Amino acid sequence: MDSSEKDAASTKHPGALASELFNAVKKLRSDGIQNPDLQIPEPLLTTLGLTPDSPFARHLVSKALLSCAAHLEENTRSAFLFAAGFCRNITGSPGERVNHSATALNIGRRTLYRHIEKAAHEITHLLLAGDHAPALENIDFITTSTHCRLDLRDDSPAILLNRTVMALRDGINALYEHLFLPLLRDPELKYYALEGCKLSDVRENGDSWTVQLRLPHRLNVGESHTFSVSVRLPNHDCLEPVFGLAPVTSMHAARIELHFEARLPRLVERIDRAWPAQIMSPTLSGQPVEVMHNKAVATFRNMQPGWGYGVRWAW
């Protein structure tokens, strides 16, 4: 592209850019990401700041599409990724991939195409979202949703966590969870695998614990899996008045629930995008959260690695 072409591209109407990128996403879906003769459409390369001769261009485009797909509703995500050839078990021509995808998802071809069209529109929007665009993940998986519940009604508080992850490479069969519990003095962590995983290893690291979970089967690119775990704490003294998440991968959405007994805190605050060490700092202001029916709920979106997100309370 010469300088005049670059100037023309930079001044192109946003609607025209979106239309070209939308068609490029659909063409790549049709051609198939695993196609050895794949020619990545120029609008996709331009949007991602790549050129046809960029090292690992296919890999970076694949990561970008997977990062965007993690934000889609599950059926729409699966339809696009399967039909685009991200699943290694679904191969062949565009028509064959559509037929195999429809069979795998137990839906009709027409419904599959509707999901593909919707996915292409949403991926286009995400790729053009500027500072809000999904990061290009250089990791094994993305967390698409997390639901945490901290139950403070009993003498021994309980934490229940449900998490859904999506694989960014083939063969994912284990995950690590890290818990920071500096006030816990018990030599044993009461950690339980409830559904969708098995407890493989628990290690104490001073103020924190590292838990390895094994999945019931290997996940391949684009496949999602949900699992549930719980932690039982011996008493309230081992829990600081804060419950937070410090993602090690991008986390699309999270919900934290606090369940209180009859005695209610005078203040509950939502903390968004803070340094993890700052969450307990009194100088860091949070957003007030209303307690209704002895329960406080905080939700988070588009959480990024390196930041802390959570809820704190004061009596």
Side-chain angles (χ1 to χ4, degrees), residues 52-75:
D53 57 352
S54 295
F56 312 111
R58 184 199 298 255
H59 174 74
L60 293 173
V61 169
S62 174
K63 289 288 188 183
L65 293 177
L66 285 166
S67 295
C68 290
H71 292 248
L72 308 183
E73 184 272 329
E74 184 174 359
N75 289 336

Side-chain angles (χ1 to χ4, degrees), residues 130-165:
D131 292 342
H132 300 289
L136 303 186
E137 304 288 351
N138 188 27
I139 51 177
D140 293 338
F141 67 92
I142 285 177
T143 302
T144 56
S145 68
T146 297
H147 183 185
C148 304
R149 188 178 74 200
L150 174 58
D151 194 335
L152 299 167
R153 293 173 292 184
D154 295 333
D155 292 337
S156 54
I159 301 169
L160 177 65
L161 182 146
N162 293 287
R163 179 168 293 176
T164 300
V165 298

